[in-house]
Amino acid sequence: MIKRLLIANRGEIAVRIIRACRELGIRTVAVYSTADKENLHVKMADEAVCIGAPPSAKSYLNADACVTVALGTKCDAVHPGVGFLSENAAFAEKVQKAGLIWIGPEPETIRLLGDKVQARATAVAHGLPVTPGSDGAVSSEAEAKKIAARCGYPVIIKAASGGGGKGMRIVYEEKDLAENLKIASSEAQANFADGTVYIEKYLVNPRHVELQVLGDGKGGVAVLGERDCSTQKNHQKLIEESPSPGVSPEMREKMCAGAVSLFSALKYRGAGTIEFLASGNEFFFMEVNARVQVEHPVSEMVTSSDIIRDQIGVCAGLPMEAEPGVHALNGWAVEARINARAPGKIKTLHIPGGPGIRFDTFVYADYSVLPFYDSMIAKLIAWDSTRERAVKRLLRALDELKIDGVPTNIGEQKTILSSPQFLSGHFGTGLYAELFQQ
Ligand code: ADP
C-alpha cells in the first residue's frame, strides 16, 4: 500500500484527497505556489513544499517540480486532482518513470481519450452514437464547408485538445465559417499548443448527462450512475445532480452498456467520466475525462461510495470496493458550485449543516481569495429521498451559507434552483441564458 502521497494540486480537491488519504492511513505532501501559503490544503497536509510563483505555469503546471518534490519527500505516489496536470499523459509518464504510483489510468489511455478526434472514433467502435460531424481533424476551409453543410447549421468548431469550454466556436451561417475556423484554430494553438480542430453539429438546448465510472485496471467496470450537468454558464457547469431528471430507463441502459464496453476494453484504471449530450430520445457521446471530476460528490451521495478512496486504492493495487456493473441509485443529490466573483478577503463564513448536507471547501474566515486560479471556492451538496426534497434542502442550506467580504454567485444559484424551469426538471444547457437573458 501507498505510505506517502504527493498531491499535485491545490484548493478544494487537494483537501478532499487529504481526507481520503487520512482515512487510508496515507501521509500527504502538498505542493503550493508562493501565493497559496494560507490555503487550507497546505495547512492540512502532513508536509508542504513551495514549488514556484503564483501563475499556474510557474507552479502547479510544473511537472518536473512536482516529481522532484515527490522523490525528495520520499513519496511513493502522485495524485493529480482535477485540472492542472490531471489529464497530462506526459506527466503521468514522468511520474511512472520516476518509480512512483500514478493515481489515474495508464498514460496511453489518457493520451487516447484526450484527443477528442480519437476518442470519438473509440466511442463509435463501442456502439456509442456521436454527434454528426467531421470524423477527424478538419484541415481546410473547403472541407469544413462540406462537413457543415452535411450536418446542417448551426455547427460547433472544437479544439481536438480542448477543455474547460475553451477553443469552441458556434457558427450559425456558412458566411461565418471561414473566419471562425481561423479563430478557433489559433485559440486552440494558444491554449493547448495544438491547433487541430474538428466540427460537430451544434445541438440547441441539449441536456449534459455524464456517467461516473470506476475501473479496476483489469477490465472490471462499475458505473456509479449518471449526473446531469445541464445548468451551465458559458459552457461551464454550475449545478450538478444525480440521477438526471431527463434520462429515460432505455437511454440510461444504452449509455451504460456503451460505457462498460469502452472502459472495459481500455482496461481503465481508477475514476473516469464519460460525457454525453442528450436531445429528445437521442444521446451523443461527447468526451471522456480520464480523472476524477469536481461534481463527484453527488455520485458518492446516491451510491454511498467514496470515489476518491476507491480511485487511490485501485491504483495502489487493492481490489475495487465498488462492485462491477451498473449501480442502483438511492435518493437524489444536487450540488451548487459557489464561485467568487472577484478576489478579496473573506470576512465571515457561516457553513450550513443539518441532515443530508455536505460542504466541500478550502476557504475560511480571513482567507484571501486569489486572482490567479479557478473562481470556485466551495461546493454545497444536498441529499434527500426525492428531487423535490433535495432541491428544497439545498435552497435551505444556501440560505444558511453566509460569505461576506467577496461577492459570490449564491443569489444567482438560489434564483436558478427556485425557478419553475429548474423545478420542472425540463430544461437544457440554455437554462441560464433563459433565466438571466444573457
Ligand atoms: P470542455 O471539454 O471544454 O468542457 P465539452 O466538449 O465537454 O467541452 O463541452 C462543454 C459544453 O459545451 C457541453 O456541456 C455543452 O453545453 C456544450 N457543447 C459541446 N458540444 C456541443 C454540441 N455539439 N452541441 C451543443 N452544445 C455543445
Short mmCIF file of all heavy atoms in Angstrom, two decimals, residues 116 131 156 158 162-166 168 198 200-206 208 229-230 232 235-237 275-277 286-287 289 429, ligand 1:
data_model
loop_
_atom_site.label_atom_id
_atom_site.label_comp_id
_atom_site.label_asym_id
_atom_site.label_seq_id
_atom_site.Cartn_x
_atom_site.Cartn_y
_atom_site.Cartn_z
N LYS A 116 -9.74 14.42 -28.75
CA LYS A 116 -11.19 14.28 -28.91
C LYS A 116 -11.56 13.58 -30.22
O LYS A 116 -12.60 12.94 -30.32
CB LYS A 116 -11.87 15.65 -28.80
CG LYS A 116 -11.73 16.23 -27.39
CD LYS A 116 -12.69 17.37 -27.14
CE LYS A 116 -12.52 17.90 -25.72
NZ LYS A 116 -13.52 18.91 -25.35
N THR A 131 -22.24 12.94 -32.14
CA THR A 131 -22.94 13.97 -32.90
C THR A 131 -22.44 13.94 -34.35
O THR A 131 -21.25 13.69 -34.56
CB THR A 131 -22.65 15.38 -32.33
OG1 THR A 131 -21.31 15.40 -31.89
CG2 THR A 131 -23.58 15.75 -31.23
N ILE A 156 -20.59 23.51 -34.35
CA ILE A 156 -19.64 23.99 -33.35
C ILE A 156 -18.24 23.51 -33.75
O ILE A 156 -18.07 22.35 -34.15
CB ILE A 156 -20.06 23.52 -31.92
CG1 ILE A 156 -19.09 24.03 -30.85
CG2 ILE A 156 -20.21 22.02 -31.80
CD1 ILE A 156 -19.63 23.90 -29.42
N LYS A 158 -14.56 22.75 -32.48
CA LYS A 158 -13.94 22.43 -31.19
C LYS A 158 -12.47 22.10 -31.35
O LYS A 158 -12.07 21.53 -32.38
CB LYS A 158 -14.63 21.22 -30.56
CG LYS A 158 -16.04 21.45 -30.07
CD LYS A 158 -16.53 20.14 -29.50
CE LYS A 158 -17.72 20.30 -28.62
NZ LYS A 158 -18.09 19.03 -28.00
N GLY A 162 -8.88 20.33 -26.61
CA GLY A 162 -9.55 21.36 -25.78
C GLY A 162 -10.05 20.89 -24.44
O GLY A 162 -9.99 19.71 -24.11
N GLY A 163 -10.55 21.85 -23.67
CA GLY A 163 -11.12 21.56 -22.36
C GLY A 163 -11.54 22.86 -21.69
O GLY A 163 -11.14 23.94 -22.13
N GLY A 164 -12.40 22.72 -20.68
CA GLY A 164 -12.83 23.89 -19.92
C GLY A 164 -13.58 24.92 -20.75
O GLY A 164 -13.57 26.11 -20.44
N GLY A 165 -14.25 24.44 -21.80
CA GLY A 165 -15.05 25.34 -22.62
C GLY A 165 -14.23 26.24 -23.54
O GLY A 165 -14.78 27.06 -24.28
N LYS A 166 -12.90 26.07 -23.52
CA LYS A 166 -12.05 26.94 -24.36
C LYS A 166 -11.91 26.37 -25.77
O LYS A 166 -11.98 25.18 -25.98
CB LYS A 166 -10.65 27.05 -23.74
CG LYS A 166 -10.61 27.94 -22.53
CD LYS A 166 -9.18 28.42 -22.25
CE LYS A 166 -9.09 29.01 -20.87
NZ LYS A 166 -8.47 28.11 -19.89
N MET A 168 -13.92 26.78 -28.34
CA MET A 168 -15.15 26.36 -29.01
C MET A 168 -15.78 27.58 -29.69
O MET A 168 -15.86 28.64 -29.08
CB MET A 168 -16.14 25.77 -28.01
CG MET A 168 -15.62 24.55 -27.29
SD MET A 168 -16.89 23.55 -26.47
CE MET A 168 -17.58 24.71 -25.34
N TYR A 198 -12.01 20.25 -34.92
CA TYR A 198 -12.97 19.41 -35.62
C TYR A 198 -14.34 20.07 -35.53
O TYR A 198 -14.53 21.03 -34.77
CB TYR A 198 -12.97 17.98 -35.10
CG TYR A 198 -13.42 17.82 -33.67
CD1 TYR A 198 -14.70 17.34 -33.36
CD2 TYR A 198 -12.57 18.14 -32.61
CE1 TYR A 198 -15.11 17.19 -32.05
CE2 TYR A 198 -12.98 17.99 -31.29
CZ TYR A 198 -14.25 17.52 -31.02
OH TYR A 198 -14.66 17.39 -29.72
N GLU A 200 -18.67 19.68 -35.25
CA GLU A 200 -19.84 18.87 -34.88
C GLU A 200 -21.10 19.66 -35.11
O GLU A 200 -21.07 20.89 -35.06
CB GLU A 200 -19.84 18.63 -33.36
CG GLU A 200 -19.11 17.46 -32.85
CD GLU A 200 -19.16 17.43 -31.32
OE1 GLU A 200 -20.10 17.97 -30.69
OE2 GLU A 200 -18.23 16.87 -30.78
N LYS A 201 -22.20 18.96 -35.25
CA LYS A 201 -23.48 19.67 -35.29
C LYS A 201 -23.68 20.29 -33.90
O LYS A 201 -23.39 19.66 -32.89
CB LYS A 201 -24.61 18.69 -35.58
CG LYS A 201 -25.97 19.32 -35.47
CD LYS A 201 -26.97 18.73 -36.41
CE LYS A 201 -28.22 19.58 -36.49
NZ LYS A 201 -28.02 20.86 -37.18
N TYR A 202 -24.17 21.53 -33.85
CA TYR A 202 -24.45 22.18 -32.56
C TYR A 202 -25.89 21.89 -32.19
O TYR A 202 -26.82 22.27 -32.91
CB TYR A 202 -24.19 23.69 -32.66
CG TYR A 202 -24.38 24.39 -31.33
CD1 TYR A 202 -23.47 24.20 -30.30
CD2 TYR A 202 -25.47 25.23 -31.11
CE1 TYR A 202 -23.64 24.84 -29.07
CE2 TYR A 202 -25.65 25.86 -29.90
CZ TYR A 202 -24.73 25.66 -28.87
OH TYR A 202 -24.89 26.28 -27.66
N LEU A 203 -26.08 21.20 -31.09
CA LEU A 203 -27.44 20.87 -30.64
C LEU A 203 -27.99 22.05 -29.86
O LEU A 203 -27.26 22.65 -29.06
CB LEU A 203 -27.43 19.63 -29.75
CG LEU A 203 -26.78 18.38 -30.36
CD1 LEU A 203 -26.61 17.30 -29.31
CD2 LEU A 203 -27.63 17.85 -31.51
N VAL A 204 -29.25 22.37 -30.09
CA VAL A 204 -29.83 23.53 -29.42
C VAL A 204 -30.47 23.07 -28.10
O VAL A 204 -31.32 22.18 -28.08
CB VAL A 204 -30.84 24.25 -30.33
CG1 VAL A 204 -31.49 25.42 -29.61
CG2 VAL A 204 -30.14 24.73 -31.59
N ASN A 205 -30.01 23.67 -27.00
CA ASN A 205 -30.56 23.40 -25.66
C ASN A 205 -30.59 21.91 -25.28
O ASN A 205 -31.60 21.41 -24.79
CB ASN A 205 -31.98 24.00 -25.57
CG ASN A 205 -32.40 24.25 -24.14
OD1 ASN A 205 -31.56 24.42 -23.25
ND2 ASN A 205 -33.70 24.25 -23.90
N PRO A 206 -29.47 21.19 -25.47
CA PRO A 206 -29.47 19.77 -25.08
C PRO A 206 -29.28 19.62 -23.58
O PRO A 206 -29.02 20.60 -22.89
CB PRO A 206 -28.23 19.22 -25.80
CG PRO A 206 -27.28 20.38 -25.80
CD PRO A 206 -28.14 21.63 -25.94
N HIS A 208 -26.83 17.97 -20.66
CA HIS A 208 -25.50 17.39 -20.48
C HIS A 208 -25.64 16.28 -19.44
O HIS A 208 -25.99 16.54 -18.30
CB HIS A 208 -24.52 18.47 -19.99
CG HIS A 208 -23.16 17.94 -19.65
ND1 HIS A 208 -22.01 18.34 -20.28
CD2 HIS A 208 -22.77 17.01 -18.74
CE1 HIS A 208 -20.98 17.69 -19.77
NE2 HIS A 208 -21.41 16.87 -18.83
N CYS A 229 -25.60 17.71 -15.74
CA CYS A 229 -24.86 18.97 -15.55
C CYS A 229 -25.32 19.99 -16.59
O CYS A 229 -24.51 20.69 -17.21
CB CYS A 229 -23.36 18.75 -15.68
SG CYS A 229 -22.75 17.30 -14.83
N SER A 230 -26.63 20.04 -16.81
CA SER A 230 -27.15 20.93 -17.86
C SER A 230 -27.14 22.39 -17.44
O SER A 230 -27.16 23.27 -18.30
CB SER A 230 -28.58 20.52 -18.23
OG SER A 230 -28.60 19.17 -18.64
N GLN A 232 -25.51 25.37 -16.86
CA GLN A 232 -24.17 25.86 -17.16
C GLN A 232 -24.23 27.34 -17.52
O GLN A 232 -25.25 27.82 -18.00
CB GLN A 232 -23.61 25.14 -18.40
CG GLN A 232 -23.59 23.64 -18.31
CD GLN A 232 -23.05 22.99 -19.59
OE1 GLN A 232 -22.89 23.65 -20.62
NE2 GLN A 232 -22.80 21.70 -19.52
N HIS A 235 -20.96 27.41 -21.05
CA HIS A 235 -20.45 26.03 -21.17
C HIS A 235 -19.68 25.56 -19.94
O HIS A 235 -18.97 24.57 -20.00
CB HIS A 235 -19.58 25.86 -22.43
CG HIS A 235 -20.28 26.26 -23.69
ND1 HIS A 235 -21.48 25.72 -24.06
CD2 HIS A 235 -19.95 27.14 -24.66
CE1 HIS A 235 -21.87 26.26 -25.19
NE2 HIS A 235 -20.97 27.13 -25.59
N GLN A 236 -19.80 26.26 -18.82
CA GLN A 236 -19.15 25.83 -17.57
C GLN A 236 -20.24 25.40 -16.60
O GLN A 236 -21.22 26.13 -16.40
CB GLN A 236 -18.37 26.99 -16.94
CG GLN A 236 -17.38 27.64 -17.86
CD GLN A 236 -16.01 27.02 -17.77
OE1 GLN A 236 -15.83 25.97 -17.17
NE2 GLN A 236 -15.04 27.67 -18.36
N LYS A 237 -20.03 24.25 -15.95
CA LYS A 237 -21.07 23.71 -15.07
C LYS A 237 -21.29 24.57 -13.81
O LYS A 237 -20.33 25.07 -13.24
CB LYS A 237 -20.67 22.30 -14.63
CG LYS A 237 -20.61 21.33 -15.80
CD LYS A 237 -19.83 20.08 -15.46
CE LYS A 237 -19.67 19.22 -16.70
NZ LYS A 237 -18.72 18.12 -16.50
N GLU A 275 -18.96 11.68 -20.96
CA GLU A 275 -19.96 12.76 -21.10
C GLU A 275 -20.76 12.63 -22.40
O GLU A 275 -20.20 12.29 -23.44
CB GLU A 275 -19.25 14.12 -21.10
CG GLU A 275 -18.50 14.42 -19.81
CD GLU A 275 -17.98 15.85 -19.72
OE1 GLU A 275 -17.63 16.44 -20.77
OE2 GLU A 275 -17.91 16.39 -18.61
N PHE A 276 -22.04 12.91 -22.27
CA PHE A 276 -22.95 12.85 -23.42
C PHE A 276 -23.78 14.13 -23.50
O PHE A 276 -23.99 14.80 -22.49
CB PHE A 276 -23.95 11.70 -23.26
CG PHE A 276 -23.34 10.34 -23.12
CD1 PHE A 276 -23.15 9.78 -21.86
CD2 PHE A 276 -22.97 9.61 -24.24
CE1 PHE A 276 -22.60 8.51 -21.71
CE2 PHE A 276 -22.41 8.34 -24.11
CZ PHE A 276 -22.23 7.80 -22.86
N LEU A 277 -24.28 14.41 -24.69
CA LEU A 277 -25.33 15.41 -24.83
C LEU A 277 -26.59 14.65 -25.22
O LEU A 277 -26.52 13.73 -26.04
CB LEU A 277 -24.98 16.43 -25.92
CG LEU A 277 -23.85 17.40 -25.59
CD1 LEU A 277 -23.59 18.31 -26.77
CD2 LEU A 277 -24.18 18.22 -24.34
N MET A 286 -19.77 12.72 -26.07
CA MET A 286 -19.01 13.96 -26.21
C MET A 286 -17.53 13.73 -25.91
O MET A 286 -16.69 13.96 -26.74
CB MET A 286 -19.59 15.03 -25.30
CG MET A 286 -19.28 16.41 -25.77
SD MET A 286 -20.31 17.68 -25.02
CE MET A 286 -20.70 17.09 -23.43
N GLU A 287 -17.22 13.29 -24.70
CA GLU A 287 -15.81 13.04 -24.37
C GLU A 287 -15.69 12.21 -23.11
O GLU A 287 -16.65 12.02 -22.37
CB GLU A 287 -15.05 14.36 -24.19
CG GLU A 287 -15.54 15.19 -23.02
CD GLU A 287 -14.65 16.40 -22.73
OE1 GLU A 287 -13.47 16.39 -23.12
OE2 GLU A 287 -15.13 17.32 -22.09
N ASN A 289 -13.45 12.14 -19.59
CA ASN A 289 -12.48 12.83 -18.73
C ASN A 289 -11.78 11.76 -17.91
O ASN A 289 -12.40 11.11 -17.07
CB ASN A 289 -13.16 13.85 -17.83
CG ASN A 289 -13.64 15.06 -18.63
OD1 ASN A 289 -14.76 15.50 -18.51
ND2 ASN A 289 -12.79 15.59 -19.48
N THR A 429 -29.14 23.06 -21.62
CA THR A 429 -27.97 23.90 -21.33
C THR A 429 -28.27 25.39 -21.56
O THR A 429 -27.47 26.24 -21.21
CB THR A 429 -26.76 23.49 -22.21
OG1 THR A 429 -27.17 23.54 -23.58
CG2 THR A 429 -26.28 22.10 -21.86
P1 ADP B 1 -14.91 21.10 -22.47
O1 ADP B 1 -14.08 19.85 -22.55
O2 ADP B 1 -14.20 22.33 -22.95
O3 ADP B 1 -15.61 21.27 -21.15
P2 ADP B 1 -17.12 19.82 -23.77
O4 ADP B 1 -16.89 19.16 -25.07
O5 ADP B 1 -17.17 18.95 -22.54
O6 ADP B 1 -16.01 20.94 -23.57
O7 ADP B 1 -18.43 20.68 -23.82
C1 ADP B 1 -18.79 21.57 -22.77
C2 ADP B 1 -20.20 22.07 -23.01
O8 ADP B 1 -20.29 22.70 -24.29
C3 ADP B 1 -21.27 21.00 -23.05
O9 ADP B 1 -21.70 20.61 -21.77
C4 ADP B 1 -22.35 21.70 -23.84
O10 ADP B 1 -23.06 22.63 -23.06
C5 ADP B 1 -21.56 22.48 -24.88
N1 ADP B 1 -21.42 21.70 -26.13
C6 ADP B 1 -20.36 20.98 -26.53
N2 ADP B 1 -20.58 20.38 -27.73
C7 ADP B 1 -21.83 20.73 -28.10
C8 ADP B 1 -22.69 20.44 -29.23
N3 ADP B 1 -22.26 19.66 -30.24
N4 ADP B 1 -23.92 20.96 -29.23
C9 ADP B 1 -24.36 21.75 -28.23
N5 ADP B 1 -23.63 22.07 -27.15
C10 ADP B 1 -22.37 21.58 -27.07
#
